[in-house]
Every structure is written in C-alpha cells, then in structure tokens.
Amino acid sequence: MLNVALFGPPGAGKGTQSEFLIKKYNLFYISTGDLLRKEIKEKSRLGLAAQGIIAAGGLVSDEIIVQIIEKTITENPDASGFLFDGFPRTYIQAYILEGLMIKLNTSLNCLISLEVEEEVSVTRLLNRGKTSGRSDDNEVVIRNRLAEYQDKTMPVLQFYKDKGIYFGLNGNQAIDIVSLDIQKIINTELAKNLFNVVLFGYPGSGRGSQGIALAKKFGLEYVATGQMLEREIKNKSELGKRINELYENGELVPDEIVVQLIEKKIENSNGVKGFIFKGFPRTLVQSYILDGLLKKHGSQISKIVEIEVPTLELISRLDARSKTNRCMPYDRDTSKIVKRLQEHENKTVPVIEKYNQLHGVIKIDGMGDFDLVFERISEELEKS
Ligand code: AMP
C-alpha cells in the first residue's frame, strides 16, 4: 500500500498535483476540503457545523475531521493506497492519521510539502476565485486561511521531520517540474518497500517455470538473465553472437553484459511491487553486484529461496527437456548438461552459502508436481 500526504498552504498546487498522482499510482484521493464541501452541499449535520468556519477561513474542529475521514477510509477498504490532500492540518490530526493507518495495518510512506511564498498563494487563489465559485477564495478569507496555516498547520511538519518522512520541495516551479519532483520522492519511497526474491536451484530444478508463476501471483517483475540473453541471441545482435559462443562452450556470460541488462530492467520497471531474480546472481561477484544494484535504487533482497532436487532427477529432467522443443542451446547433449551442473556446484553454491549465513535461505523440496512445489514456495513468500 502506498500512502502519501500532500502538504502545503492553500494555493500551493495540492489539488492540481493530486490529479496526476491518483492516476499514476492508483491512489484513492481524500481531500478533507472536498469532503466538507460535499457535507455542506448535502446540508448534513457535519456540513452545517463546518459551514461558518470554512466561510471565515478558519479550521474545522478535529472531531468533525476525524468523522469524515474515518467514514471515507472505512468505506474503501480495498484501496491500494490513499492520497491525503489538506489533511493532516493540525498536530492532533497527525496523531489521528497515525491511528487510522494502524487500523488499516499500514503506514504513511511520505508527506510531501509544496513550499510556496505567501504572495504566490494569494495570487493563485485570487485567480482561482474567478472560476472556482468557492466563497473562501476572496482576499480577506485567503489571508485568514494562510494565517491559520502558519499558526496551526506548519507545526505539523515537525511531526513528520521527526519521523523521517517529510519531503519539502519548491512549489513555485512549473506544474510539470513539481510533478517530476514528487515522482522522484515517491519512487524512492516505493523502492524501499520493494519485495525482492532471489530464486536459486540447479538447472532443471524448475526455477524458470516456478519463477514466472510466482511473479504473476505476487505481482513481481520476473528478471531472468537467461531469458534476457536469449532475446539478444534471437535478435542476432553482436552481443547475441558472443553470448551464443559462450553458451556453446557451456560457459558463463561475463558480468558486464549481465549487469547492463539487469540495470536496464530495474530502471525501466516503474511502479512494480518488486522483482524475482532467477539465474542471477550466479557467482560471488554477481551477488555483490545485485546487492549494489538494489542498494543504488534504495532497495534490498527480501527473500532467498532455493529449490532442491536430487542430482539424478535433475539429469533426467534436463535430458527429457533436450528431446522437446523446449530444448535450450545449453542442454543439447549430456556433456553440456554435466558442465552446467558443475558450474552451478562450483560457482553458485558458494553464493547460496554466503546468503544462507547472511540472511538465511529458504530451502524448498523441489520433488513432486509443479503445483505442489509452487504451493510450498508461495506459502513461504506469503509469510512476508
Ligand atoms: P481546502 O479545500 O483544503 O482548501 O479546505 C477548505 C477549508 O476546509 C479550509 O479552509 C478549512 O476551513 C476546511 N478544512 C479542510 N481540511 C481541513 C482539515 N484537515 N482540518 C480542519 N479544517 C479543514
């Protein structure tokens, strides 16, 4: 779940930026101002209580705010995240938001503050007043709203600075630039929450088919270096020809090539929940590369899984595959199959051992049919 609060004085551009944010990140929009105006229009009890205060540019009581916001949140339990506009506006409301997030078993990821000078706010709101039809978009009330902001709302920032999730940005810039700045903040926050799985296993253990199915089930991006390299071979690129030669000799592809391909994949995968890596890292060097790549994007490995299958079963599976149209260039004959198994033994097993000491590797029994093994892995991932 991604939960964001947009902060800033009236006229900072919160509403404008919200329009693009809700689409881009599929967020449920909660503007306390809009909710209050709706209550007023419906002449509800809450609306009638809030009407005079809003017209004068004051802040509506926290009791009223908690009621309207709780109602909206509980009416939308399936939301994939919330975007708060105009809330929290008081220190008490910051605590209220904490409580609401706990109730939903989630938390606020970031509070983004659009910082604009007072005169910019006034000019923008007076302009908006020409068409908004809002009675509070006139100069006297605007000044009052800004005074309330300074007095009661600005102190809220400290709450989020203390929590380490406050991000201020220059709201005087053009709309597009502010949008880009906001995206950068949110993407970095999202990266921290990525769920990254590394899937190990000998060739023939079922990593590929399991990886694809797991990626689908958990909404992860499947990163299979073998598949990426295949694509290069198929495209008959220079790189592809080189890779093919290495494959023919049963050798590993140099790290420089693999790193480039993975980095491109990570960078181009905006808004994913996480990655599932198959066939990478294959060597100790590559394990450092993966740690570094994820760290560079503010992320890390979440779970490491190894599918265990006895050697004789592996050989028989790979041999069977070599006789079908799923035959890979590297399992065309027994000597190549054996070479790959040896490569795994010599280069990848030490990586698994390293990870086992560092993070712990979940060992999965790879015997049995596909669904059974899939269930075993899913069960372990669901625990996260
Ligand atoms: P807005 O549309 O966010 O500019 O809000 C318009 C008016 O609604 C504000 O000037 C306040 O009177 C009231 N209001 C909106 N949100 C809140 C809030 N979180 N706490 C108190 N009053 C609010």
Short mmCIF file of all heavy atoms in Angstrom, two decimals, residues 25-63:
data_model
loop_
_atom_site.label_atom_id
_atom_site.label_comp_id
_atom_site.label_asym_id
_atom_site.label_seq_id
_atom_site.Cartn_x
_atom_site.Cartn_y
_atom_site.Cartn_z
N TYR A 25 -0.35 6.49 -9.60
CA TYR A 25 -0.08 5.48 -8.56
C TYR A 25 -1.35 4.77 -8.09
O TYR A 25 -1.30 4.05 -7.10
CB TYR A 25 0.65 6.14 -7.38
CG TYR A 25 2.00 6.69 -7.77
CD1 TYR A 25 2.20 8.04 -8.01
CD2 TYR A 25 3.09 5.82 -7.94
CE1 TYR A 25 3.44 8.54 -8.38
CE2 TYR A 25 4.33 6.32 -8.32
CZ TYR A 25 4.50 7.68 -8.53
OH TYR A 25 5.73 8.16 -8.91
N ASN A 26 -2.44 4.99 -8.80
CA ASN A 26 -3.69 4.31 -8.48
C ASN A 26 -4.07 4.49 -7.00
O ASN A 26 -4.27 3.53 -6.26
CB ASN A 26 -3.55 2.81 -8.83
CG ASN A 26 -4.86 2.08 -8.76
OD1 ASN A 26 -5.91 2.71 -8.89
ND2 ASN A 26 -4.81 0.78 -8.52
N LEU A 27 -4.14 5.75 -6.58
CA LEU A 27 -4.42 6.06 -5.18
C LEU A 27 -5.87 6.52 -5.01
O LEU A 27 -6.45 7.08 -5.93
CB LEU A 27 -3.49 7.17 -4.69
CG LEU A 27 -1.99 6.86 -4.77
CD1 LEU A 27 -1.16 8.08 -4.41
CD2 LEU A 27 -1.64 5.70 -3.85
N PHE A 28 -6.39 6.28 -3.83
CA PHE A 28 -7.73 6.80 -3.52
C PHE A 28 -7.53 8.18 -2.91
O PHE A 28 -6.80 8.36 -1.95
CB PHE A 28 -8.44 5.86 -2.54
CG PHE A 28 -9.88 6.24 -2.37
CD1 PHE A 28 -10.85 5.73 -3.20
CD2 PHE A 28 -10.25 7.17 -1.39
CE1 PHE A 28 -12.18 6.10 -3.07
CE2 PHE A 28 -11.57 7.55 -1.24
CZ PHE A 28 -12.53 7.02 -2.09
N TYR A 29 -8.22 9.16 -3.50
CA TYR A 29 -7.99 10.57 -3.14
C TYR A 29 -8.90 10.99 -1.99
O TYR A 29 -10.11 10.81 -2.05
CB TYR A 29 -8.28 11.40 -4.38
CG TYR A 29 -8.11 12.89 -4.24
CD1 TYR A 29 -6.91 13.44 -3.80
CD2 TYR A 29 -9.16 13.76 -4.56
CE1 TYR A 29 -6.75 14.82 -3.70
CE2 TYR A 29 -9.00 15.14 -4.46
CZ TYR A 29 -7.79 15.65 -4.03
OH TYR A 29 -7.63 17.01 -3.92
N ILE A 30 -8.29 11.54 -0.97
CA ILE A 30 -9.09 12.07 0.15
C ILE A 30 -8.72 13.52 0.39
O ILE A 30 -7.63 13.83 0.89
CB ILE A 30 -8.86 11.27 1.45
CG1 ILE A 30 -9.26 9.81 1.24
CG2 ILE A 30 -9.67 11.89 2.60
CD1 ILE A 30 -9.26 8.97 2.49
N SER A 31 -9.61 14.42 -0.04
CA SER A 31 -9.41 15.83 0.23
C SER A 31 -10.44 16.22 1.28
O SER A 31 -11.66 16.16 1.01
CB SER A 31 -9.62 16.64 -1.06
OG SER A 31 -10.07 17.94 -0.75
N THR A 32 -9.95 16.59 2.46
CA THR A 32 -10.91 16.94 3.52
C THR A 32 -11.73 18.16 3.11
O THR A 32 -12.91 18.26 3.45
CB THR A 32 -10.19 17.17 4.86
OG1 THR A 32 -8.97 17.86 4.62
CG2 THR A 32 -9.90 15.86 5.57
N GLY A 33 -11.11 19.07 2.36
CA GLY A 33 -11.84 20.25 1.88
C GLY A 33 -13.02 19.83 1.01
O GLY A 33 -14.16 20.27 1.22
N ASP A 34 -12.76 18.92 0.04
CA ASP A 34 -13.83 18.44 -0.84
C ASP A 34 -14.91 17.73 -0.04
O ASP A 34 -16.11 17.91 -0.29
CB ASP A 34 -13.27 17.44 -1.87
CG ASP A 34 -12.49 18.14 -2.99
OD1 ASP A 34 -12.48 19.39 -3.00
OD2 ASP A 34 -11.88 17.44 -3.83
N LEU A 35 -14.48 16.91 0.92
CA LEU A 35 -15.46 16.15 1.72
C LEU A 35 -16.35 17.10 2.51
O LEU A 35 -17.56 16.90 2.60
CB LEU A 35 -14.74 15.18 2.67
CG LEU A 35 -14.00 14.02 2.01
CD1 LEU A 35 -13.18 13.24 3.04
CD2 LEU A 35 -14.98 13.08 1.32
N LEU A 36 -15.73 18.16 3.04
CA LEU A 36 -16.53 19.12 3.82
C LEU A 36 -17.50 19.87 2.92
O LEU A 36 -18.66 20.09 3.28
CB LEU A 36 -15.59 20.12 4.53
CG LEU A 36 -14.79 19.54 5.71
CD1 LEU A 36 -13.67 20.48 6.14
CD2 LEU A 36 -15.72 19.26 6.90
N ARG A 37 -17.02 20.26 1.72
CA ARG A 37 -17.91 20.98 0.80
C ARG A 37 -19.10 20.10 0.41
O ARG A 37 -20.22 20.58 0.25
CB ARG A 37 -17.13 21.47 -0.43
CG ARG A 37 -16.31 22.73 -0.16
CD ARG A 37 -15.62 23.27 -1.40
NE ARG A 37 -14.48 22.47 -1.79
CZ ARG A 37 -13.26 22.61 -1.27
NH1 ARG A 37 -13.01 23.53 -0.36
NH2 ARG A 37 -12.27 21.84 -1.66
N LYS A 38 -18.84 18.79 0.30
CA LYS A 38 -19.92 17.86 -0.03
C LYS A 38 -20.94 17.82 1.11
O LYS A 38 -22.15 17.84 0.88
CB LYS A 38 -19.32 16.47 -0.28
CG LYS A 38 -20.28 15.48 -0.82
CD LYS A 38 -19.53 14.24 -1.36
CE LYS A 38 -20.45 13.05 -1.44
NZ LYS A 38 -20.37 12.19 -0.26
N GLU A 39 -20.43 17.77 2.34
CA GLU A 39 -21.33 17.74 3.51
C GLU A 39 -22.19 19.02 3.55
O GLU A 39 -23.37 18.97 3.86
CB GLU A 39 -20.53 17.64 4.82
CG GLU A 39 -19.70 16.37 4.97
CD GLU A 39 -20.53 15.13 5.33
OE1 GLU A 39 -21.64 15.31 5.85
OE2 GLU A 39 -20.06 14.00 5.05
N ILE A 40 -21.53 20.14 3.20
CA ILE A 40 -22.27 21.43 3.22
C ILE A 40 -23.39 21.40 2.18
O ILE A 40 -24.52 21.78 2.45
CB ILE A 40 -21.30 22.61 2.96
CG1 ILE A 40 -20.33 22.74 4.14
CG2 ILE A 40 -22.06 23.92 2.74
CD1 ILE A 40 -19.21 23.74 3.92
N LYS A 41 -23.02 20.90 0.99
CA LYS A 41 -23.99 20.84 -0.10
C LYS A 41 -25.18 19.98 0.30
O LYS A 41 -26.34 20.30 -0.01
CB LYS A 41 -23.31 20.24 -1.34
CG LYS A 41 -23.81 20.79 -2.63
CD LYS A 41 -22.88 20.41 -3.74
CE LYS A 41 -23.53 20.62 -5.07
NZ LYS A 41 -22.76 19.94 -6.11
N GLU A 42 -24.89 18.89 1.00
CA GLU A 42 -25.97 17.97 1.41
C GLU A 42 -26.70 18.47 2.66
O GLU A 42 -27.59 17.78 3.15
CB GLU A 42 -25.37 16.58 1.68
CG GLU A 42 -24.94 15.87 0.40
CD GLU A 42 -24.05 14.65 0.66
OE1 GLU A 42 -23.77 14.33 1.84
OE2 GLU A 42 -23.63 14.04 -0.34
N LYS A 43 -26.22 19.59 3.18
CA LYS A 43 -26.80 20.18 4.40
C LYS A 43 -26.85 19.17 5.55
O LYS A 43 -27.81 19.11 6.33
CB LYS A 43 -28.20 20.74 4.12
CG LYS A 43 -28.20 21.91 3.14
CD LYS A 43 -29.55 22.64 3.20
CE LYS A 43 -29.56 23.96 2.50
NZ LYS A 43 -29.18 23.97 1.09
N SER A 44 -25.80 18.35 5.65
CA SER A 44 -25.75 17.35 6.72
C SER A 44 -25.41 18.05 8.04
O SER A 44 -25.00 19.22 8.05
CB SER A 44 -24.68 16.30 6.41
OG SER A 44 -23.40 16.90 6.56
N ARG A 45 -25.51 17.28 9.12
CA ARG A 45 -25.19 17.82 10.45
C ARG A 45 -23.74 18.34 10.45
O ARG A 45 -23.46 19.45 10.89
CB ARG A 45 -25.39 16.70 11.48
CG ARG A 45 -25.12 17.08 12.92
CD ARG A 45 -25.33 15.87 13.84
NE ARG A 45 -24.57 14.70 13.43
CZ ARG A 45 -23.28 14.51 13.73
NH1 ARG A 45 -22.63 15.38 14.46
NH2 ARG A 45 -22.64 13.42 13.31
N LEU A 46 -22.83 17.53 9.93
CA LEU A 46 -21.42 17.93 9.91
C LEU A 46 -21.22 19.15 9.02
O LEU A 46 -20.47 20.08 9.34
CB LEU A 46 -20.54 16.78 9.39
CG LEU A 46 -20.41 15.55 10.29
CD1 LEU A 46 -19.52 14.51 9.64
CD2 LEU A 46 -19.82 15.95 11.64
N GLY A 47 -21.90 19.15 7.88
CA GLY A 47 -21.79 20.26 6.94
C GLY A 47 -22.22 21.57 7.57
O GLY A 47 -21.54 22.60 7.44
N LEU A 48 -23.36 21.51 8.27
CA LEU A 48 -23.89 22.73 8.89
C LEU A 48 -22.92 23.24 9.96
O LEU A 48 -22.70 24.45 10.10
CB LEU A 48 -25.27 22.46 9.50
CG LEU A 48 -26.37 22.18 8.45
CD1 LEU A 48 -27.67 21.78 9.11
CD2 LEU A 48 -26.58 23.40 7.53
N ALA A 49 -22.30 22.29 10.69
CA ALA A 49 -21.36 22.70 11.74
C ALA A 49 -20.10 23.33 11.15
O ALA A 49 -19.49 24.22 11.75
CB ALA A 49 -20.99 21.49 12.59
N ALA A 50 -19.72 22.86 9.95
CA ALA A 50 -18.45 23.32 9.36
C ALA A 50 -18.60 24.60 8.53
O ALA A 50 -17.64 25.37 8.37
CB ALA A 50 -17.87 22.22 8.46
N GLN A 51 -19.80 24.85 8.04
CA GLN A 51 -20.05 25.90 7.05
C GLN A 51 -19.47 27.27 7.43
O GLN A 51 -18.70 27.86 6.66
CB GLN A 51 -21.55 26.03 6.83
CG GLN A 51 -21.90 26.80 5.58
CD GLN A 51 -23.35 26.55 5.18
OE1 GLN A 51 -24.17 26.13 6.00
NE2 GLN A 51 -23.65 26.78 3.92
N GLY A 52 -19.83 27.74 8.63
CA GLY A 52 -19.42 29.08 9.05
C GLY A 52 -17.91 29.19 9.19
O GLY A 52 -17.30 30.20 8.80
N ILE A 53 -17.31 28.14 9.72
CA ILE A 53 -15.86 28.17 9.96
C ILE A 53 -15.12 28.25 8.62
O ILE A 53 -14.18 29.03 8.45
CB ILE A 53 -15.41 26.89 10.71
CG1 ILE A 53 -16.18 26.78 12.03
CG2 ILE A 53 -13.91 26.89 10.97
CD1 ILE A 53 -16.12 25.43 12.70
N ILE A 54 -15.56 27.44 7.65
CA ILE A 54 -14.91 27.44 6.33
C ILE A 54 -15.07 28.81 5.67
O ILE A 54 -14.10 29.35 5.12
CB ILE A 54 -15.50 26.32 5.43
CG1 ILE A 54 -15.13 24.96 6.02
CG2 ILE A 54 -15.03 26.46 3.99
CD1 ILE A 54 -15.61 23.77 5.25
N ALA A 55 -16.27 29.36 5.77
CA ALA A 55 -16.53 30.66 5.13
C ALA A 55 -15.62 31.74 5.71
O ALA A 55 -15.21 32.68 5.00
CB ALA A 55 -17.99 31.04 5.32
N ALA A 56 -15.24 31.59 6.99
CA ALA A 56 -14.38 32.61 7.62
C ALA A 56 -12.90 32.29 7.43
O ALA A 56 -12.03 33.06 7.85
CB ALA A 56 -14.73 32.70 9.09
N GLY A 57 -12.59 31.11 6.85
CA GLY A 57 -11.18 30.75 6.63
C GLY A 57 -10.52 30.11 7.83
O GLY A 57 -9.31 29.98 7.90
N GLY A 58 -11.34 29.67 8.80
CA GLY A 58 -10.77 29.00 9.98
C GLY A 58 -10.62 27.51 9.74
O GLY A 58 -10.93 27.01 8.66
N LEU A 59 -10.14 26.79 10.76
CA LEU A 59 -10.03 25.34 10.63
C LEU A 59 -11.18 24.67 11.35
O LEU A 59 -11.51 25.01 12.48
CB LEU A 59 -8.70 24.83 11.22
CG LEU A 59 -7.42 25.11 10.43
CD1 LEU A 59 -6.25 24.38 11.06
CD2 LEU A 59 -7.56 24.71 8.97
N VAL A 60 -11.77 23.70 10.68
CA VAL A 60 -12.87 22.94 11.25
C VAL A 60 -12.32 22.07 12.38
O VAL A 60 -11.15 21.68 12.35
CB VAL A 60 -13.48 22.07 10.10
CG1 VAL A 60 -14.52 21.12 10.63
CG2 VAL A 60 -14.05 22.97 9.02
N SER A 61 -13.15 21.74 13.36
CA SER A 61 -12.64 21.01 14.54
C SER A 61 -12.13 19.61 14.17
O SER A 61 -12.61 18.98 13.22
CB SER A 61 -13.75 20.89 15.58
OG SER A 61 -14.67 19.91 15.14
N ASP A 62 -11.16 19.16 14.94
CA ASP A 62 -10.59 17.83 14.70
C ASP A 62 -11.66 16.74 14.82
O ASP A 62 -11.57 15.70 14.15
CB ASP A 62 -9.45 17.56 15.69
CG ASP A 62 -8.26 18.50 15.45
OD1 ASP A 62 -8.04 18.87 14.28
OD2 ASP A 62 -7.58 18.86 16.42
N GLU A 63 -12.66 16.97 15.68
CA GLU A 63 -13.74 15.97 15.86
C GLU A 63 -14.50 15.76 14.56
O GLU A 63 -14.82 14.65 14.18
CB GLU A 63 -14.76 16.42 16.94
CG GLU A 63 -14.26 16.31 18.37
CD GLU A 63 -13.24 17.38 18.73
OE1 GLU A 63 -13.15 18.41 18.01
OE2 GLU A 63 -12.49 17.18 19.70
#
